[in-house]
Amino acid sequence: MTVRPYTPEMLADRWDCSGETVRAMIRSGTLPAFRVGRMMRITAKAVEDYECGIIGSDVSKDDSSSCGTTRTEPGDVIALRHTRRRMPSAKPGT
């Protein structure tokens, strides 16, 4: 059975917050997501991982209970973050 990915609005409903809050989490890199054209989608696995404290900020990991073993040794974690490519600003000629 294939689980359909969540939209920010569906996830906001589940978490009782706004869709903009979910989109801000995606922009900050706290919640992994992917694009389908202009639409954002969040996999069920990413939602489960976030809710279990496997992904998220250090503060949320410290304050939440764990769904499973998440032990890591120092140096065993590689964090990847997507950033936007900066475009040079157009400066008016003088």
Side-chain angles (χ1 to χ4, degrees):
M1 182 170 125
T2 304
V3 179
R4 295 188 68 190
Y6 290 90
T7 65
E9 287 71 26
M10 290 167 60
L11 198 50
D13 232 18
R14 177 179 174 131
W15 288 347
D16 195 28
C17 64
S18 71
E20 185 53 38
T21 299
V22 174
R23 284 186 284 280
M25 293 171 68
I26 293 168
R27 281 192 301 272
S28 72
T30 304
L31 182 64
F34 63 95
R35 286 191 176 272
V36 178
R38 294 183 64 190
M39 301 176 294
M40 299 296 290
R41 295 292 183 262
I42 305 100
T43 63
K45 174 76 170 126
V47 172
E48 180 182 332
D49 288 350
Y50 185 83
E51 290 175 346
C52 290
I54 296 171
I55 59 173
S57 68
D58 292 334
V59 174
S60 68
K61 287 181 186 176
D62 292 342
D63 293 341
S64 65
S65 62
S66 176
C67 291
T69 305
T70 58
R71 293 184 195 161
T72 58
E73 295 298 320
D76 286 350
V77 177
I78 298 173
L80 302 176
R81 184 173 178 209
H82 295 279
T83 57
R84 293 183 189 175
R85 183 178 296 193
R86 291 186 177 211
M87 302 302 281
S89 61
K91 296 182 180 179
T94 53

